[in-house]
Amino acid sequence: MKLATTTADFNGYVDTYEEKVKLICDAGFKYIDIDFSNIDVFMENNWEDKAKKLNEYAKSLGAKFVQAHSPCSANPVVYDEKREPFIEETKRSFEVCKILGIENMVVHNGSVRGMDKKTFFEENEKFSHELFPIMEKTGVNMCIENSTVINMAERYFFFDGCDMREFIEKLNHPLLKACWDTGHANIENHHYKDIMDLGNYLTTIHVHDNNGRNDEHMMPYTGTMNFDELMCGLIDSGYKGYFTLEATLSLMNIKTHMRSRRVFEKDTRLYRTPLALKFEAEKFLYKAGEYILKAYDVFDK
């Protein structure tokens, strides 16, 4: 397996995709998952030129874009003023993926409190059908992702591989696939059976660790994740995709989706995590991923 990581590793540290790609490559990675949380740069008139230049820049560093994560700026099953711009941003993400040569993009499904499984499937089927035309135009797979009760309460039904497979087979579209998120699964305390249940539908993974109670996006071996179970599942299921790390909070900057660092008004010289320390953590992240893959003799440069 080839080892990849996400541009989100350097969100909050540097501003441009080019800066993030350079840091990722300098840390040892060659394969990159682009995070479209700052999709605004590709919503302008010259977005195609920007995407082409980014792709050429990555190639000049010996790097390749291999995966993507769509914007998460709205809930697709909530029909408010945020939804239409979100749909357009998501469609644009598929178009950028085509230019970057990316085959798989992870897209979060929507849910609302009190939604039962039947309604969840129906509402997300509508959402998926809105994206099918752009998926077909670009040839990019849409990958649904498992979540965890900690993040979504009792209103989300992709907690295991069986539900994900059921949804994929219900919609029966060749470009609808799955992403297995190890951090979410660690909280739910299962991997192997789910990965086997997904089988050939599994085309992407997000690899990160946590304490089993919170979605912390930490690097491997800083939490309770069992990597033997993960690796056995990937190998036994015949997984062919990238081993994509999503350990974006291995070093927290000043805030995350869960918490913020406290401020001491008298002196703030240590408030921000310095880029130099984050870069050292990125290099160690590469070593951790490499170690896991080499332990099972599947590391591929």
Side-chain angles (χ1 to χ4, degrees):
M1 291 178 211
K2 293 181 171 67
L3 182 60
T5 196
T6 170
T7 58
D9 288 349
F10 289 100
N11 284 357
Y13 291 91
V14 293
D15 296 325
T16 69
Y17 280 120
E18 286 79 6
E19 290 173 298
K20 294 171 186 178
V21 167
K22 181 67 164 60
L23 287 163
I24 287 169
C25 291
D26 287 349
F29 292 95
K30 293 193 296 184
Y31 304 103
I32 301 173
D33 176 348
I34 185 168
D35 166 50
F36 284 121
S37 59
N38 50 340
I39 187 64
D40 289 353
V41 69
F42 295 119
M43 297 304 292
E44 300 168 355
N45 291 334
N46 60 343
W47 68 271
E48 290 178 288
D49 289 337
K50 289 184 177 180
K52 290 175 182 176
K53 287 178 181 177
L54 176 60
N55 197 34
E56 289 304 312
Y57 180 70
K59 288 180 179 179
S60 74
L61 298 177
K64 179 182 178 182
F65 288 103
V66 298
Q67 192 171 309
H69 198 308
S70 70
C72 299
S73 56
N75 186 335
V77 300
V78 174
Y79 293 82
D80 58 12
E81 69 282 355
K82 296 180 182 179
R83 191 179 188 279
E84 186 175 345
F86 162 74
I87 295 294
E88 293 307 308
E89 291 170 354
T90 305
K91 290 179 178 179
R92 178 59 51 80
S93 298
F94 278 101
E95 293 178 306
V96 175
C97 281
K98 181 179 181 180
I99 292 173
L100 297 180
I102 294 170
E103 295 181 3
N104 297 292
M105 182 165 71
V106 177
V107 178
H108 284 182
N109 292 91
S111 63
V112 295
R113 190 171 297 278
M115 182 177 280
D116 59 18
K117 180 178 175 179
K118 180 176 181 293
T119 307
F120 176 88
F121 272 41
E122 289 173 348
E123 288 299 315
N124 282 290
E125 182 173 359
K126 294 176 188 175
F127 170 51
S128 299
H129 275 283
E130 287 183 77
L131 298 179
F132 283 170
I134 194 66
M135 291 159 59
E136 292 160 3
K137 176 183 176 182
T138 59
V140 177
N141 293 324
M142 169 183 169
C143 303
I144 62 173
E145 179 180 6
N146 61 304
S147 191
T148 170
V149 173
I150 293 296
N151 288 352
M152 305 300 297
E154 299 290 348
R155 62 180 192 272
Y156 195 86
F157 293 90
F158 294 155
F159 294 133
D160 58 51
C162 186
D163 276 352
M164 295 169 76
R165 185 183 187 99
E166 180 183 346
F167 182 80
I168 291 170
E169 292 184 342
K170 182 178 187 293
L171 271 61
N172 191 31
H173 193 286
L175 296 176
L176 184 61
K177 304 294 183 180
C179 170
W180 188 249
D181 186 292
T182 69
H184 300 163
N186 189 52
I187 297 171
E188 297 301 308
N189 195 29
H190 49 76
H191 288 285
Y192 185 85
K193 181 181 182 299
D194 303 270
I195 292 171
M196 298 300 290
D197 285 341
L198 287 169
N200 291 335
Y201 293 123
L202 183 64
T203 59
T204 61
I205 56 174
H206 285 160
V207 181
H208 51 103
D209 208 339
N210 57 51
N211 62 12
R213 299 185 299 275
N214 297 290
D215 187 20
E216 296 169 301
H217 286 262
M218 303 188 305
M219 73 171 63
Y221 294 109
T222 57
T224 61
M225 170 84 181
N226 188 301
F227 288 94
D228 290 305
E229 183 181 3
L230 171 66
M231 292 307 299
C232 287
L234 295 176
I235 291 168
D236 291 353
S237 67
Y239 177 70
K240 303 298 183 185
Y242 291 83
F243 192 84
T244 304
L245 293 157
E246 200 184 37
T248 53
L249 304 181
S250 297
L251 282 187
M252 192 180 105
N253 193 353
I254 57 173
K255 62 181 179 179
T256 74
H257 60 290
M258 296 185 297
R259 56 187 178 270
S260 299
R261 182 169 292 135
R262 293 183 295 108
V263 179
F264 180 57
E265 298 295 346
K266 182 178 179 180
D267 201 325
T268 59
R269 74 186 77 181
L270 300 178
Y271 180 59
R272 288 185 174 273
T273 306
L275 177 59
L277 282 185
K278 177 64 175 178
F279 179 67
E280 292 301 316
E282 190 79 354
K283 291 196 291 184
F284 189 77
L285 179 63
Y286 179 88
K287 290 181 179 179
E290 181 184 48
Y291 171 78
I292 291 168
L293 296 180
K294 283 186 173 180
Y296 277 84
D297 297 317
V298 294
F299 179 69
D300 183 358
K301 289 187 177 183

